[in-house]
Amino acid sequence: MADEVTLYADGRSPFVCRVKIALNMKGIKYKNMEEDLQNKSGDLLNYNPVHKKVPVLVLNGNPILESLVIVEYIDDIWERVPILPQDPYEKAAARFWAKFIDDKVLIFPE
Ligand SMILES: N[C@@H](CCC(=O)N[C@@H](CS)C(=O)NCC(=O)O)C(=O)O
């Protein structure tokens, strides 16, 4: 049976963009649920009650939250076209720079 993949998204979000790139690299077809962040859907609030933010990836009913966590999950589930390096040291470096971008570059007011 094919996986059911849904992405709760806002096309302007760099965090959503990061997840879309990962899905596209893997060739995964998904349903895009565009959110109005001024009027969030009940599904988004239900799937992400902690932060109430996009992106949320729902795979076969299971929500995955936080763009970097989602990208790593995508990389674990669909092994073709690896995103993270296989070497542990290189993988740690990739994670460092991804976190650096989140902490220092992608800063949005609450
Ligand atoms: N750390 C989160 C950040 C996600 C985030 O900030 N999403 C913004 C859109 S760019 C959002 O949903 N904002 C809605 C809000 O703050 O109410 C991630 O990496 O997924």
Side-chain angles (χ1 to χ4, degrees):
M1 199 172 75
D3 286 316
E4 200 172 299
V5 187
T6 306
L7 179 65
Y8 289 82
D10 177 325
R12 299 163 302 175
S13 164
F15 303 102
V16 168
C17 188
R18 173 186 273 166
V19 172
K20 287 182 174 177
I21 289 169
L23 288 167
N24 290 339
M25 281 177 74
K26 301 280 184 174
I28 305 302
K29 297 225 181 322
Y30 61 94
K31 184 173 175 188
N32 192 78
M33 299 293 285
E34 198 66 14
E35 284 286 331
D36 173 359
L37 295 180
Q38 304 307 315
N39 183 23
K40 296 169 187 170
S41 71
D43 278 354
L44 175 63
L45 300 176
N46 189 38
Y47 284 131
N48 191 355
V50 177
H51 295 303
K52 306 176 177 64
K53 291 183 176 185
V54 293
V56 172
L57 186 77
V58 183
L59 177 57
N60 300 326
N62 296 320
I64 304 106
L65 312 173
E66 287 293 319
S67 59
L68 291 178
V69 175
I70 297 170
V71 168
E72 291 207 24
Y73 188 75
I74 289 169
D75 210 21
D76 287 342
I77 295 287
W78 295 288
E79 291 176 350
R80 63 181 176 276
V81 193
I83 296 171
L84 283 172
Q86 302 300 301
D87 175 77
Y89 182 74
E90 287 179 20
K91 190 184 287 190
R95 286 178 170 141
F96 171 86
W97 286 113
K99 186 170 181 333
F100 180 87
I101 288 168
D102 276 8
D103 292 347
K104 306 285 187 201
V105 182
L106 299 176
I107 299 171
F108 293 91
E110 286 293 321

